[in-house]
Amino acid sequence: MAGVAQGTRTRTDLDPLPPPGPGTGPGLGPGLGVDVERQRARLLALHAHLAREREAALSPAIERALETAQMYLFLALGYTGHTDELFPDELQVPDELRGAQAASPSTDATEARESRS
Amino acid sequence: MAGALAHTVDQRFWNRATQTADRERLDALHLARIRHLVGWAYDNSPLHRRIYNAAGVKPADIRTWDDYHHRLPFTDKPDYVRDQESSESGFGGLALGPEHWQQYFHTTGTTGRFLHEAFSQFEMHKAGTQLCYGLWGQGARPRDSIYFCFDFGMWVGLWTYYWGARNLGLTIVSGGGATGEQRVRHILERRPAIVCGTPTYLLHLAEIAEREGLDLRRAGVRILAGGGEAGLSVPRIRERLTEAWGAERIHDAYGIGEALFIGQSCDVWAGGVHAIEDVCHSYSVDPDSGEPVTDAGGVGEHVITSYTHLVQPFIKYRTHDLVRIDDRPDHGCGWTWKHFPGVVLGRSDFMVTIRGVNVYPTAVENLISEVPGLTHHYELHLSRRDGMDRMLVRAEAAAGVGDLSDLAARLSAHLRNNLGVRLETEVVHAGTLPRYELKTRRIFDAREPGARAATPAEGR
Ligand SMILES: [Zn+2]
């Protein structure tokens, strides 16, 4: 399967929780330590690099090999406490698809607020 | 693999950063993952959307642990079974369709109502990480070999062990399609570092070896690993296995059919297993009220959220296993992950009330193993007479034991002293009972279907 898995979606209506501990910057995980955060950032960059290479794959063989590589890489991300995405396809949702999802009813924050009142 | 690691890396742990993180940081990770998953399930799984809508809950409502505990509805196996029976795919609770599946399975059960389970390729890789934490802790390293005493079928538990072995980098030796005697001979020839099987089967192989005049201790097996039954955390069975195989380590894995082996032994055995918190959230509730168990040492029903399942999410899912959770264990292993002393203490949905006393088959099973002179082979026969539930415990004597009636009386007394009720007991000669591969097959329920509470333990 090339590119994005159909049906994969990423939540856009969840407000970030306050950072749970010291040493946790915005957008980072809940602080498993500076070294772990640095590794997590490097792994994310590597994942993006693999995604670009996958788009330029010269054969199904190469594309599939890189897809599998991304799956293993995503295991490493999980070990570093990565929570923004829970499986590799979520990382690959392009911006235009994210925009379409934000307009879907289930991700409408207003609806969620109404249900609380 | 490990050879590329820097010298400064702490190799005692498979993944030190999370395995030793403090409770507050772990809980923050859990809450972030749970919130993400609830949104995922709401958006993609019609079953979850129906359940959450019926409860008037939207993903954005789940912000705190109090929201998770009190606002988010539980899910249970019947929700999925009903959904699978009414869906064209034959699968329940799906968030991603067949174009994403790499393999599917079904849970074990005695009622014939299997729960079908589907996995994407990534989920299988992720499931393969679960066993690594425990096996690494026991000293398994890449290029150690592991022997599987299995024919691989539709039960996912065996496969996850296989994926775990691949993920850790073990050399795999398959004992598929072989007889017990052939497996004993394979093990003596191949000398695997690890042998994987249920405790019943590992003891069975030891019996075969003895019968054939073969010494399994000469195979040099370091680690016996398995799960699927309580035995690997029962002291007397651990002792027997250690003795018969000459193994240094016994590795127990606690599995839930729907969430795989989410509990693992550590290197300092403390009578139970740790939750694998990288892949699952665990807490326990009062089975009747659904309120979280807050008192230390309190027994409750284990409720899980799996981070391995995206095709078929399991969120705040009732396992019906009764557990005791120590959320700040301190027995010297260094893991901070929750610990389940005694692993599964019983089943909340498979209970027999005998003269007013609630009796769980798992508790009976554990007590049988404590009576000297009995083997680990047994059957439980449930019946109902004049509206009253009855349980006959049929156990097997060890070889050479002569006075069976005395042994039956001692078993009866041991059960009465620990359960508070007298059960019918019968002890049969050594070698009489069938060797069951799965625990559920040893429970015979002759009560009318409507009189049963539910099916016995799935996957354990
Ligand atoms: Zn431990």
Side-chain angles (χ1 to χ4, degrees):
Chain A
M1 75 186 176
V4 180
Q6 292 301 303
T8 57
R9 311 169 80 173
T10 300
R11 299 297 306 179
T12 52
D13 62 334
L14 298 178
D15 304 329
L17 290 173
T24 306
L28 295 179
L32 290 171
V34 173
D35 290 347
V36 178
E37 278 307 320
R38 281 184 186 144
Q39 180 138 57
R40 188 171 79 93
R42 291 194 301 271
L43 290 170
L44 278 170
L46 194 51
H47 198 284
H49 193 81
L50 277 171
R52 280 196 299 278
E53 201 58 44
R54 205 177 140 192
E55 279 172 17
L58 295 176
S59 69
I62 294 171
E63 198 274 335
R64 178 80 179 118
L66 292 173
E67 183 187 20
T68 308
Q70 284 181 310
M71 291 182 200
Y72 278 108
L73 181 58
F74 203 87
L75 295 181
L77 268 173
Y79 293 137
T80 62
H82 184 79
T83 59
D84 298 346
E85 291 84 17
L86 297 182
F87 67 127
D89 282 341
E90 285 191 298
L91 265 175
Q92 294 166 32
V93 176
D95 288 344
E96 57 272 21
L97 192 54
R98 287 177 190 272
Q101 284 161 13
S104 77
S106 66
T107 53
D108 184 341
T110 312
E111 187 184 342
R113 275 196 296 277
E114 282 168 357
S115 75
R116 278 201 296 272
S117 59
Chain B
M1 188 172 94
L5 283 174
H7 291 305
T8 51
V9 169
D10 186 345
Q11 294 202 37
R12 184 176 175 194
F13 302 98
W14 176 247
N15 190 48
R16 187 182 193 283
T18 51
Q19 272 175 278
T20 62
D22 62 51
R23 174 54 37 208
E24 290 65 34
R25 282 166 204 266
L26 290 171
D27 282 347
L29 282 174
H30 283 304
L31 192 57
R33 286 179 170 139
I34 286 170
R35 296 177 75 224
H36 189 108
L37 263 177
V38 169
W40 165 261
Y42 188 88
D43 278 358
N44 296 287
S45 157
L47 172 67
H48 286 83
R49 183 182 278 249
R50 279 201 305 277
I51 290 172
Y52 296 158
N53 281 344
V57 170
K58 294 281 184 291
D61 298 336
I62 308 304
R63 297 174 53 83
T64 66
W65 286 114
D66 189 57
D67 296 331
Y68 179 66
H69 292 149
H70 295 108
R71 298 193 69 177
L72 192 72
F74 290 105
T75 55
D76 203 345
K77 184 176 174 183
D79 298 324
Y80 290 79
V81 172
R82 274 194 298 274
D83 198 42
Q84 84 179 12
E85 286 175 353
S86 65
S87 78
E88 269 182 39
S89 67
F91 286 74
L94 288 179
L96 286 174
E99 67 275 20
H100 297 280
W101 305 353
Q102 186 167 64
Q103 194 166 352
Y104 51 85
F105 306 92
H106 59 60
T107 57
T108 56
T110 55
T111 61
R113 289 156 71 89
F114 296 115
L115 180 65
H116 297 286
E117 302 172 288
F119 285 76
S120 68
Q121 187 177 11
F122 172 72
E123 287 169 59
M124 290 171 62
H125 285 312
K126 175 112 177 161
T129 67
Q130 301 187 349
L131 268 300
C132 298
Y133 298 87
L135 288 174
W136 182 273
Q138 302 288 5
R141 291 293 180 271
R143 288 173 290 284
D144 275 339
S145 58
I146 183 167
Y147 185 88
F148 286 103
C149 303
F150 300 124
D151 300 328
F152 285 80
M154 289 293 275
W155 182 46
V156 69
L158 308 184
W159 289 92
T160 61
Y161 248 105
Y162 168 73
W163 302 333
R166 284 182 57 147
N167 197 54
L168 207 154
L170 301 178
T171 303
I172 291 161
V173 188
S174 170
T179 64
E181 189 186 330
Q182 287 168 333
R183 284 173 178 158
V184 168
R185 292 184 188 278
H186 289 165
I187 289 164
L188 285 163
E189 268 169 38
R190 296 283 169 192
R191 302 178 57 78
I194 307 158
V195 173
C196 181
T198 61
T200 304
Y201 196 78
L202 293 171
L203 286 166
H204 177 55
L205 288 187
E207 285 177 3
I208 290 175
E210 196 181 332
R211 194 179 67 215
E212 298 295 319
L214 300 167
D215 185 3
L216 268 180
R217 302 172 63 93
R218 296 180 61 172
V221 174
R222 298 197 330 253
I223 305 167
L224 294 176
E229 296 175 337
L232 293 175
S233 281
V234 173
R236 194 145 156 265
I237 292 181
R238 292 172 66 89
E239 284 163 23
R240 280 189 199 164
L241 284 168
T242 306
E243 165 67 20
W245 285 77
E248 296 163 19
R249 300 246 169 211
I250 306 284
H251 181 69
D252 194 11
Y254 158 45
I256 294 162
E258 299 81 358
L260 317 172
F261 284 113
I262 49 124
Q264 306 276 319
S265 303
C266 61
D267 58 337
V268 180
W269 190 65
V273 296
H274 286 276
I276 302 301
E277 296 199 34
D278 271 355
V279 301
C280 190
H281 176 259
S282 289
Y283 81 115
S284 67
V285 300
D286 180 303
D288 297 322
S289 69
E291 281 297 307
V293 171
T294 51
D295 55 318
V299 174
E301 179 181 336
H302 189 196
V303 175
I304 58 104
T305 291
S306 167
Y307 308 141
T308 306
H309 293 73
L310 279 303
V311 166
Q312 207 174 16
F314 290 96
I315 301 168
K316 202 178 170 184
Y317 183 78
R318 300 190 77 135
T319 67
H320 299 280
D321 286 337
L322 294 175
V323 295
R324 188 178 278 128
I325 298 180
D326 177 359
D327 63 6
R328 293 174 192 269
D330 184 19
H331 50 256
C333 65
W335 299 35
T336 49
W337 289 352
K338 293 176 184 179
H339 190 254
F340 304 97
V343 197
V344 177
L345 309 172
R347 292 282 296 173
S348 66
D349 62 349
F350 191 60
M351 181 184 76
V352 189
T353 305
I354 296 178
R355 294 188 288 283
V357 176
N358 295 340
V359 177
Y360 296 98
T362 311
V364 175
E365 172 190 303
N366 292 341
L367 291 167
I368 292 169
S369 74
E370 292 171 8
V371 177
L374 289 178
T375 67
H376 56 283
H377 301 295
Y378 66 92
E379 292 175 348
L380 303 181
H381 294 262
L382 307 178
S383 61
R384 175 165 289 198
R385 195 182 299 165
D386 301 328
M388 305 286 280
D389 282 341
R390 304 158 63 92
M391 187 188 293
L392 166 67
V393 181
R394 182 173 290 151
E396 186 183 290
V401 173
D403 190 350
L404 300 185
S405 60
D406 174 59
L407 201 46
R410 280 196 281 130
L411 172 61
S412 178
H414 189 60
L415 293 171
R416 190 185 63 241
N417 291 342
N418 287 280
L419 300 171
V421 67
R422 185 185 292 277
L423 303 180
E424 298 160 65
T425 54
E426 180 187 340
V427 175
V428 298
H429 286 290
T432 311
L433 292 179
R435 274 35 181 163
Y436 298 101
E437 284 187 15
L438 286 175
K439 188 182 77 174
T440 48
R441 306 240 164 87
R442 294 183 232 183
I443 300 175
F444 298 85
D445 195 345
R447 297 173 296 169
E448 289 299 309
R452 299 175 194 169
T455 172
E458 297 289 335
R460 183 163 181 92

